[in-house]
Amino acid sequence: MLLLSIDWTNLHELLRSLYDEMMPLCEDMASVAKGVAGLGALFYVAYRVWQSLARAEPIDVFPLLRPFVLGLCIMFFPTMVLGTINGILSPVCKATSSLVEQQTFDMRKYQEEKDRLKREAMLRDPAKAFLVSDEAYDKRLDELGWSLGDMDTMINMYGQKKIYELGEKIRGWFRELLELFFQAASLLIDTLRTFFLIVLSILGPVSFALAVYDGFQSTLTTWLSRYICIYLWLPVSDLFGAILSRIQILMLQQDIENMQDPAFIPDSSGKVYCIFMIIGIIGYFCVPTVSSWIIQAGGAGAYGQKANGAGKMAGNGAAAVGGAVGGAIAGRIKKMF
């Protein structure tokens, strides 16, 4: 299928390279911000010097250094500001990324082990071995004769095998659909994160320039808090993915232990896996809210409410798709019998 050819890792890496390629635009915006900051610094220093002279007070030089420090940050914005913030926060992203990669690798390893033990468990059951093995199916046919009872048995075996294969295909299709939604939710968060970071980075010099003026000092802290909060979306989403992978690993380990019992017959429906996929789809839309708990950023609450609403709609849609698929399977099986 076309969906299986999508390399989600490359898409996330593409967003990283997009951010790096857009950063040179900060230099063009810095030239505009220099003029705005220079005019603001002139008014800032002149007003305070005039105020001190009018009151016959000594001039306090230290507060007058603020516009010059902001101007220095604007001149070397990509290196001094963005480079410092990204350098501090990037180890957090790398640590969470390696964590989720390790958990995903372990989950795939245990999933392969469970599939192998599941096949072996079904082969041990004579009543179900022919469903997963063509050799067992042919052997059962060879043991049967050509009487009416044997012919009826052959027809029932053929119908059961086709129903089992159809159910496996539908379950596989539904799992791929949920995995697509799950990866799409992760990519959506990463895309919005990259977009917001690019906008904040390009227009950051203007925010620093406006922070020179009286009444706009909070612009500086607001920009910093929003940038850090949005930057943390990636580590939070990686931690969420690692938690889900760890829960599935624990469940796979429990299933593998149960399959060690020869009398244990595994459940092939995969309901628990689908449930966790739906939880993951909804949970990714809560990442902005969780990031705002780490560092408070003004203006992010409205987006968090919209994202949570979108998560609920996605969960309802996934549940509706699951119900429709289940109803279609039941109706088709009923017609076959």
Side-chain angles (χ1 to χ4, degrees), residues 210-287:
L210 293 177
V212 176
Y213 292 86
D214 289 333
F216 294 94
Q217 288 86 350
S218 61
T219 304
L220 178 62
T221 56
T222 302
W223 183 92
L224 289 172
S225 61
R226 287 181 179 175
Y227 187 91
I228 296 174
C229 178
I230 295 174
Y231 196 97
L232 292 177
W233 284 12
L234 181 60
V236 172
S237 62
D238 287 342
L239 286 176
F240 179 71
I243 292 173
L244 287 180
S245 299
R246 188 59 186 173
I247 293 175
Q248 295 184 34
I249 289 174
L250 295 176
M251 297 177 61
L252 289 173
Q253 290 177 345
Q254 184 179 6
D255 292 339
I256 291 174
E257 292 178 0
N258 294 332
M259 289 181 183
Q260 303 299 329
D261 185 5
F264 178 77
I265 303 299
D267 181 17
S268 60
S269 61
K271 296 178 182 178
V272 178
Y273 179 81
C274 294
I275 290 174
F276 273 101
M277 284 291 100
I278 296 175
I279 293 174
I281 294 170
I282 300 174
Y284 268 119
F285 291 94
C286 300
V287 168

Side-chain angles (χ1 to χ4, degrees), residues 164-182:
Y164 177 80
E165 292 176 352
L166 177 62
E168 287 295 316
K169 290 181 180 179
I170 294 177
R171 280 191 290 269
W173 172 81
F174 187 58
R175 288 180 60 175
E176 291 177 3
L177 182 63
L178 289 179
E179 289 175 357
L180 174 64
F181 288 157
F182 181 80

